[in-house]
Amino acid sequence: MIDFTTITYLKNGNKRQQRAFEILKKYEIFGKLDAYSPVLAGTIPIEIDIEGSDLDIICEVDLQFQEAFIETVRSFIPDNTEVHIENLAVNEEQCIVINYALEGFLIEIFGQNKPPLQQNAYRHMIAEHKILQEKGENFKQKIIELKKEGIKTEPAFGLLLGLEDPYEDLLKF
């Protein structure tokens, strides 16, 4: 089983994972976010990304102190980079989302007031990884094809597995 709590597994992954590792290291993103317990989630870690898939970095952020978090993130984003910052509610929980592009990668840094391993993005990724391990390469390719057709990751799993509410049902795996 891969230890998704660190990014070292990316070093020996596919070309896109290796490139993600280089970028994350070059800009010291995880080191600078260390106080927020960053974890890479999403499709790139489990190799079901498609062109345009982003690097999803989830963090634990006390939103009372979100200005310090924003300042930390801005410290490693190159000058003249367009940055979008949004406060929103996900499952009735407040969060902050910071998006920008860096050397060919879209990067989304997601902060919520709970440890990353308890956040749905991580829990979904772990469930999806487990399913991919069990179902094999053919299933994985079907997920990728659905994603290329514009279907988001969880609904793609839902379609192939016959899940009624994939966002909730995947958490049961």
Side-chain angles (χ1 to χ4, degrees), residues 46 49 91 96 121 144 152:
I46 58 175
D49 55 299
N91 297 327
I96 184 167
I144 292 169
K152 293 212 165 274

Side-chain angles (χ1 to χ4, degrees), residues 92-128:
E92 299 175 24
E93 293 184 57
Q94 290 302 308
C95 59
I96 184 167
V97 182
I98 302 172
N99 289 290
Y100 64 101
L102 185 63
E103 294 193 29
F105 278 99
L106 297 174
I107 298 181
E108 178 174 286
I109 301 177
F110 180 92
Q112 196 171 39
N113 195 12
K114 64 166 66 169
L117 303 189
Q118 293 174 19
Q119 293 182 27
N120 283 351
Y122 181 80
R123 294 174 63 210
H124 283 155
M125 179 184 73
I126 294 301
E128 292 158 2

Side-chain angles (χ1 to χ4, degrees), residues 109-150:
I109 301 177
F110 180 92
Q112 196 171 39
N113 195 12
K114 64 166 66 169
L117 303 189
Q118 293 174 19
Q119 293 182 27
N120 283 351
Y122 181 80
R123 294 174 63 210
H124 283 155
M125 179 184 73
I126 294 301
E128 292 158 2
H129 179 67
K130 225 180 254 186
I131 293 164
L132 290 168
Q133 299 291 82
E134 290 171 10
K135 300 280 186 186
E137 188 62 30
N138 191 33
F139 182 87
K140 179 180 180 178
Q141 291 309 314
K142 287 179 184 175
I143 292 289
I144 292 169
E145 286 308 311
L146 288 171
K147 289 179 60 55
K148 285 179 180 175
E149 291 172 19

